[in-house]
Amino acid sequence: ALFMGACLGGSLGRLLELVDANVGDIITFSSSSTYVIVGMASMLAAMCSVPITAVVLALELAGGASYQAVLPLICGIGVALYVASVFLPSRLEGMNREEALKTVQANVADRM
């Protein structure tokens, strides 16, 4: 979960930097390393359902020298937990594939 989240966050950060460099109208608020940390912590929180642990682990892995990533971490983890609760409800355990797909589709339709 950590590696996959770090890769996704880093690729999003690099993409935003490239778009900002070429277009010039889009402002990137953070460096790509911040996106790596936020992606890593968000994926960990969503996969393991440990949001507070993910924030603490991400801050410690970042060196603890700068706490500017706390707000993006909390926002990213909140979005990741919401998406995980919509698409992967805990009641899917013990269902076959078709039943789980119907449950997820009904859950998404109810929330929209």
Side-chain angles (χ1 to χ4, degrees):
L2 292 176
F3 180 73
M4 193 167 52
C7 288
L8 289 173
S11 62
L12 177 67
R14 292 285 183 161
L15 179 71
L16 288 175
E17 283 181 353
L18 286 174
V19 169
D20 187 36
N22 291 334
V23 176
D25 294 337
I26 298 173
I27 300 171
T28 55
F29 294 105
S30 297
S31 65
S32 61
S33 61
T34 303
Y35 288 98
V36 169
I37 297 294
V38 170
M40 177 184 64
S42 299
M43 187 69 77
L44 176 68
M47 298 284 276
C48 301
S49 298
V50 289
I52 296 173
T53 304
V55 171
V56 171
L57 181 69
L59 290 175
E60 290 299 320
L61 285 175
S66 174
Y67 292 102
Q68 294 175 351
V70 173
L71 185 60
L73 274 171
I74 293 172
C75 292
I77 287 172
V79 169
L81 287 174
Y82 177 74
V83 169
S85 71
V86 169
F87 289 111
L88 300 171
S90 60
R91 59 179 178 233
L92 291 181
E93 295 178 12
M95 293 184 186
N96 63 20
R97 187 176 180 179
E98 289 80 21
E99 292 172 346
L101 184 60
K102 288 178 185 176
T103 303
V104 168
Q105 288 174 345
N107 194 13
V108 170
D110 289 343
R111 296 200 184 214
M112 296 211 173

